[in-house]
């Protein structure tokens, strides 16, 4: 099922993100974790994609298994930075062959050995280039994919300011993105302000907030590095108090993420996406906390 169809439904929903293994030896354990998460019957499961396409086959294997063996719609990530057109087109054909209907079109992180290089002649400099490629890859004139895109409630780390960021976001939506999923954030007011600004700019596609449960104190620095997210005082106090106690931090982090999700639902958001970090127990507990709210 297309994600755009799911997001058009009435009622509240929760979806999860998982990541594929980096090596063959880890495949079975990661597959088992993703199956446990799929068995929770989320609205859909997204499967990430390693830098440079290093996990491309694993991404398809995990996504296909979740869809076929567990009956859960899947969203496969695809990145394009530093890739050739031939490589990207081959991956698109692989996705079609795997029965993937939903693709998250991302630029991806620039490899460390390519930082500072002249990118003017790269076939895919930005995510919008991949969106256009996906739109053109039709079978018998019919679109094969529902295309998702990423957005930043604060600002993309490479953007000069939020107005520029939103301008590029609209370009991506105009090229064919049908829904957006946000980078993690820890203050819901940042999302509400962002939604107001993008609607004013004419971006009308659904936006699915992405929530990251921080269940270990050492995750905080990594989260800031990845997203540059603002950490509200309330959250910092939580980490300061419980960060050295793993069990307490896990419980507090799940509670904080749950509170964020409830506030989002209460303020008109219908669909929320949780970055599970392949932790079935965390995904399960959040669902339990929302059992009566989700119905």
């Amino acid at each position: 099922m297309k994600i755009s169809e799911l997001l058009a439904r009435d009622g509240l929903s929760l979806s999860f993100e998982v990541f594929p293994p980096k090596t063959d030896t880890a495949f079975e354990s990661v597959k088992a974790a993703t199956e446990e998460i799929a068995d929770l019957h989320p609205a859909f499961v997204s499967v990430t994609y390693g830098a440079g396409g290093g996990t491309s086959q694993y991404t398809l294997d995990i996504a296909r298994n979740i869809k076929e063996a567990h009956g859960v719609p899947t969203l496969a990530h695809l990145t394009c930075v530093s890739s050739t057109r031939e490589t990207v087109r081959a991956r698109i054909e692989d996705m079609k062959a795997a029965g993937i209907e939903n693709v998250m079109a991302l630029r991806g992180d620039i490899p460390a050995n390519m930082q500072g290089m002249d990118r003017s002649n790269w076939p895919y400099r930005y995510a919008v280039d991949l969106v256009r490629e996906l739109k053109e890859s039709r079978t018998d004139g019919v679109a094969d994919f529902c295309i998702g895109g990423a957005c930043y409630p604060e600002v993309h780390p490479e953007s000069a300011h939020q107005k520029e960021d939103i301008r590029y976001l609209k370009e991506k939506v105009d090229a064919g993105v049908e829904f957006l999923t946000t980078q993690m954030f820890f203050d819901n007011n940042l999302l509400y302000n962002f939604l107001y600004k993008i609607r004013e700019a004419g971006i009308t596609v659904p936006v699915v907030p992405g929530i990251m449960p921080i269940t270990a104190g050492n995750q905080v620095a990594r989260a800031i590095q990845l997203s540059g997210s603002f950490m509200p005082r309330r959250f910092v106090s939580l980490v300061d108090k419980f960060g050295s106690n793993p069990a307490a931090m896990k419980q507090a982090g799940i509670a904080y993420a749950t509170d964020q999700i409830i506030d989002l639902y209460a303020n008109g958001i219908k669909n929320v996406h949780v970055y599970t970090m392949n932790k079935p127990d965390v995904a399960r507990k959040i669902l339990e906390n929302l059992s009566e709210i989700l119905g």
Side-chain angles (χ1 to χ4, degrees), residues 17-85:
E17 178 174 287
V18 300
F19 57 81
K22 294 181 180 179
T23 63
D24 287 338
T25 55
F27 184 83
E28 289 303 323
S29 62
V30 170
K31 180 183 176 186
T34 61
E35 287 182 331
E36 280 192 64
I37 290 169
D39 281 340
L40 297 172
H41 305 293
F44 65 90
V45 172
S46 70
V47 187
T48 66
Y49 193 84
T55 65
S56 58
Q57 187 55 51
Y58 298 136
T59 296
L60 290 184
D61 291 343
I62 295 292
R64 179 165 45 195
N65 180 61
I66 289 171
K67 178 184 176 184
E68 294 179 357
H70 300 270
V72 177
T74 54
L75 169 66
H77 290 210
L78 179 63
T79 66
C80 61
V81 68
S82 76
S83 295
T84 65
R85 292 200 182 277

Side-chain angles (χ1 to χ4, degrees), residues 182-284:
T182 77
Q183 177 61 272
M184 69 183 83
F185 58 92
F186 299 93
D187 182 343
N188 286 1
N189 287 324
L190 292 169
L191 177 80
Y192 301 140
N193 291 334
F194 172 73
L195 289 176
Y196 176 80
K197 291 175 182 177
I198 66 170
R199 299 312 185 204
E200 285 286 297
I203 297 173
T204 60
V205 297
V207 176
V208 183
I211 299 298
M212 168 72 85
I214 299 294
T215 57
N218 59 10
Q219 282 183 273
V220 176
R222 179 62 173 159
I224 294 174
Q225 178 187 355
L226 286 173
S227 65
S229 297
F230 166 70
M231 299 292 179
R233 185 66 234 171
R234 174 168 165 258
F235 181 77
V236 173
S237 297
L238 179 153
V239 177
D240 288 345
K241 179 68 175 178
F242 304 114
S244 60
N245 182 330
M249 183 63 223
K250 185 174 185 177
Q251 187 175 55
I254 290 172
Y256 189 93
T258 301
D259 185 59
Q260 272 194 277
I261 295 168
I262 291 172
D263 180 78
L264 291 168
Y265 287 150
N267 282 279
I269 302 297
K270 295 198 308 178
N271 316 100
V272 178
H273 196 58
V274 176
Y275 300 118
T276 70
M277 300 301 292
N278 287 10
K279 297 177 180 177
D281 57 331
V282 172
R284 184 179 300 108

